[in-house]
C-alpha cells in the first residue's frame, strides 16, 4: 500500500502505514517535513522522479539529502527499501543505484562534522523511545566542545523530549535562552557569579536544546538560525567584560593596565579566531578548520570558546579567585589563537605546494 503526497520538493511516495508517533508527530508528517526542509535548502527532484519513503522505518535525514544528490539512488536495509529518488511509479527494486546500509557502512555528515553509520530502524511502539534517543544523538555535531559533547547530552535529551511533547517550537526555547543569557550578563556585572553561572548554565543547555529540537522535529527556520547563531556569536565577549567589572564587588579588581590587557586578549582573540575559521572555510571549499586533521577535531573540544572558558572561570570560583580565572582565560585565548593561526598558515603552505586539503573524515569514509 502506498500514497503520494505533494510537497514543494515534488511528489513523495509513502509506502505503507505507521501509527507509531515519533517526536510528537506521525512518521508520515516527519517525512513530509524532511521533504519540505530539503526544498527550502534548494534541493529538487529530477524530472520524472519522486521521493520514495518507507513509513515502517525511521531514518537519518542525511539519507534523504544524499538520495536527492543523485537521481536513481535508493537506500535499503537488506531487502526493504528505506528512502530514495526513483522514477515515478517504478518498482524500487529496479532503481539503478541501490545502497544496502545493513552492512554497517559509515557516511560522512558534513553539516554535523561526523563520520558514522546513519540511523535506520523499524519504527514500532517498542522501539520508539530508542529511535528518538538515537535520532537525538544523531543530531549532535561530531566535532564540538567538551561540555556539549560529554556533560549535558542526557539533560538536554530530557528537555528536548519535554519541549517536543509540549509542542514548543525551537524559537520559543531560544527566546527563553536569550533572556537567561542577558540575565547572566547582568549578574556577572554585579559580581553575583554563582547566580550568573546558574543562569548561564541553563542558557547553555537550552542553547543545545533548541538546535536538537529543530533537527529532531524538522522545524528549523531561517530566523531561528539567525537568533541562535547570532546570540552565540555576540554574547561571549560581553560575559567576559562584565565578569571583569564585577570583580570590584569581590574586592579583587584588576589594575587598569591588567584590565586592558585581559579585555584586549579575550575580545580581540575571540574575534580573530572567528576570522581565521571563516578564512579557512572560504579558502578550502567550505571545509571547517576543526575537521581538517584529527588534531584539529580534538582541539575543538577545549579551544577558547564560551563553554571551555566557563570551565576555567568555574574552577577559579571554587578557589575564590575569579580574577585569576579571567586572567587564565585571557592567556588560554591567546594560546588558542596561536594554534589556529599556525594551522591556517600550514594549510596555506600545503595548498601552495600542490597538496590537497582534505578532511580526515573524508579520507576515513573513502577508506571504508
Amino acid at each position: 500500500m502506498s500514497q503520494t503526497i505533494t510537497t514543494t520538493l515534488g511528489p513523495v511516495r509513502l509506502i505503507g502505514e505507521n501509527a507509531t508517533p515519533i517526536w510528537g508527530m506521525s512518521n508520515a508528517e516527519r517525512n513530509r517535513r524532511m521533504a519540505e526542509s530539503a526544498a527550502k535548502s534548494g534541493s529538487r527532484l529530477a524530472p520524472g522522479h519522486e521521493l520514495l519513503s518507507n513509513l515502517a522505518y525511521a531514518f537519518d535525514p542525511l539519507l534523504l539529502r544524499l538520495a536527492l544528490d543523485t537521481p536513481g539512488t535508493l537506500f535499503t536495509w537488506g531487502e526493504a527499501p528505506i528512502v530514495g529518488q526513483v522514477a515515478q511509479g517504478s518498482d524500487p527494486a529496479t532503481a539503478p543505484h541501490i545502497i544496502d546500509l545493513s552492512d554497517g557502512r559509515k557516511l560522512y555528515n558534513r553539516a554535523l562534522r561526523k563520520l558514522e553509520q546513519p540511523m535506520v530502524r523499524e519504527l514500532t511502539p517498542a522501539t520508539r523511545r530508542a529511535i528518538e534517543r538515537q535520532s537525538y544523538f544523531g543530531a549532535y555535531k561530531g566535532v564540538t566542545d567538551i561540555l556539549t559533547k560529554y556533560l549535558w547530552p542526557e539533560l538536554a535529551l530530557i528537555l528536548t523530549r519535554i519541549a517536543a511533547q509540549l509542542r514548543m517550537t525551537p524559537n520559543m526555547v531560544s527566546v527563553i535562552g536569550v533572556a537567561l543569557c542577558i540575565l547572566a550578563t547582568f549578574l556577572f556585572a554585579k559580581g553575583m557569579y554563582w547566580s550568573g553561572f546558574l543562569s548561564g548554565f541553563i542558557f547553555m543547555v537550552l542553547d543545545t536544546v533548541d538546535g536538537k529540537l529543530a533537527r529532531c522535529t524538522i522545524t528549523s527556520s531561517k530566523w531561528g538560525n539567525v537568533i541562535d547563531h547570532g546570540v552565540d556569536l555576540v554574547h561571549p565577549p560581553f560575559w567576559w567584560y562584565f565578569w571583569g567589572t564585577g570583580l570590584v564587588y569581590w574586592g579583587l579588581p584588576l589594575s587598569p593596565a591588567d584590565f586592558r590587557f585581559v579585555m584586549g586578549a579575550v575580545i580581540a582573540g575571540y574575534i580573530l579566531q572567528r576570522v581565521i575559521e571563516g578564512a579557512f572555510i572560504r579558502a578550502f571549499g567550505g571545509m571547517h578548520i576543526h575537521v581538517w586533521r584529527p588534531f584539529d577535531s580534538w582541539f575543538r573540544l577545549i579551544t577558547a570558546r564560551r563553554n571551555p572558558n566557563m570551565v576555567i572561570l568555574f574552577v577559579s570560583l571554587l578557589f575564590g579567585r575569579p580574577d585569576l580565572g579571567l586572567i587564565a582565560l585571557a592567556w588560554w585565548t591567546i594560546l588558542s589563537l596561536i594554534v589556529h593561526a599556525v594551522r591556517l598558515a600550514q594549510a596555506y603552505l600545503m595548498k601552495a605546494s600542490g597538496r590537497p586539503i582534505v578532511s580526515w573524515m573524508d579520507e576515513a569514509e573513502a577508506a571504508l
Side-chain angles (χ1 to χ4, degrees):
M1 178 180 178
S2 66
Q3 60 173 316
T4 299
I5 61 174
T6 301
T7 69
T8 53
L9 177 70
V12 178
R13 190 193 340 165
L14 303 175
I15 301 175
E17 296 179 345
N18 197 334
T20 304
I22 175 172
W23 290 113
M25 71 187 107
S26 69
N27 202 19
E29 173 62 14
R30 182 173 186 266
N31 278 269
R32 187 196 67 79
R33 291 186 187 183
M34 284 192 285
E36 296 289 357
S37 177
K40 289 179 182 178
S41 299
S43 296
R44 289 294 182 272
L45 291 165
H49 286 69
E50 64 185 356
L51 183 68
L52 180 144
S53 184
N54 191 340
L55 294 183
Y57 290 81
F59 57 85
D60 192 315
L62 171 67
L63 298 178
L64 185 149
R65 295 196 298 271
L66 294 176
L68 292 174
D69 288 342
T70 308
T73 296
L74 176 69
F75 290 101
T76 70
W77 190 267
E79 298 295 322
I82 303 300
V83 62
Q85 181 181 184
V86 300
Q88 282 187 266
S90 66
D91 181 351
T94 64
H97 307 294
I98 296 178
I99 302 172
D100 183 3
L101 296 171
S102 64
D103 61 5
R105 72 182 64 199
K106 296 181 179 181
L107 301 176
Y108 178 28
N109 188 329
R110 286 172 177 79
L112 296 180
R113 304 173 206 161
K114 61 184 177 182
L115 178 69
E116 66 179 12
Q117 182 181 13
M119 180 194 73
V120 176
R121 294 193 66 174
E122 190 172 2
L123 176 61
T124 68
T127 63
R128 179 183 64 84
R129 287 186 67 83
I131 288 174
E132 289 181 346
R133 179 181 178 85
Q134 189 173 354
S135 67
Y136 165 83
F137 280 100
Y140 253 87
K141 287 182 178 178
V143 178
T144 186
D145 68 85
I146 193 168
L147 296 186
T148 301
K149 191 165 187 174
Y150 297 115
L151 182 61
W152 49 61
E154 296 293 343
L155 173 58
L157 170 58
I158 294 171
L159 295 176
T160 301
R161 275 185 167 146
I162 292 173
Q165 293 301 318
L166 293 176
R167 302 298 175 90
M168 292 180 68
T169 67
N171 288 352
M172 292 178 185
V173 177
S174 294
V175 168
I176 296 171
V178 169
L180 290 168
C181 177
I182 295 172
L183 176 60
T185 306
F186 172 80
L187 293 171
F188 290 154
K190 296 297 182 180
M192 302 170 67
Y193 295 132
W194 287 115
S195 299
F197 248 104
L198 178 60
S199 180
F201 173 80
I202 299 172
F203 159 64
M204 290 188 291
V205 174
L206 293 181
D207 190 37
T208 293
V209 171
D210 58 8
K212 302 305 167 291
L213 181 64
R215 292 190 181 105
C216 290
T217 60
I218 326 294
T219 51
S220 297
S221 67
K222 177 181 177 181
W223 287 112
N225 273 331
V226 170
I227 294 172
D228 188 22
H229 292 97
V231 172
D232 283 351
L233 186 66
V234 170
H235 82 271
F238 288 94
W239 277 14
W240 317 144
Y241 178 83
F242 286 109
W243 184 283
T245 61
L247 290 171
V248 67
Y249 293 97
W250 285 58
L252 298 169
L254 299 179
S255 69
D258 286 343
F259 187 81
R260 285 193 297 271
F261 164 75
V262 167
M263 289 302 112
V266 298
I267 296 175
Y270 174 76
I271 293 172
L272 289 173
Q273 282 187 90
R274 291 290 194 170
V275 169
I276 289 172
E277 291 173 14
F280 196 98
I281 290 171
R282 288 191 297 273
F284 303 110
M287 183 175 68
H288 201 285
I289 191 172
H290 293 126
V291 300
W292 179 23
R293 307 314 304 159
F295 167 80
D296 302 300
S297 298
W298 169 83
F299 193 69
R300 178 62 180 89
L301 290 170
I302 59 173
T303 195
R305 289 280 192 90
R306 179 196 64 201
N307 290 358
N309 287 350
M310 290 294 278
V311 173
I312 294 173
L313 295 179
F314 179 76
V315 172
S316 73
L317 270 187
L318 292 177
F319 289 95
R321 293 302 304 268
D323 56 330
L324 297 182
L326 189 59
I327 293 171
L329 187 157
W331 282 107
W332 181 236
T333 300
I334 292 171
L335 180 58
S336 295
L337 175 61
I338 292 171
V339 170
H340 282 84
V342 168
R343 295 300 288 157
L344 179 63
Q346 289 175 327
Y348 280 139
L349 289 172
M350 183 176 290
K351 182 179 181 180
S353 70
R355 290 177 289 173
I357 304 298
V358 181
S359 168
W360 69 272
M361 294 187 187
D362 275 316
E363 293 174 344
E365 182 183 37
L368 294 174

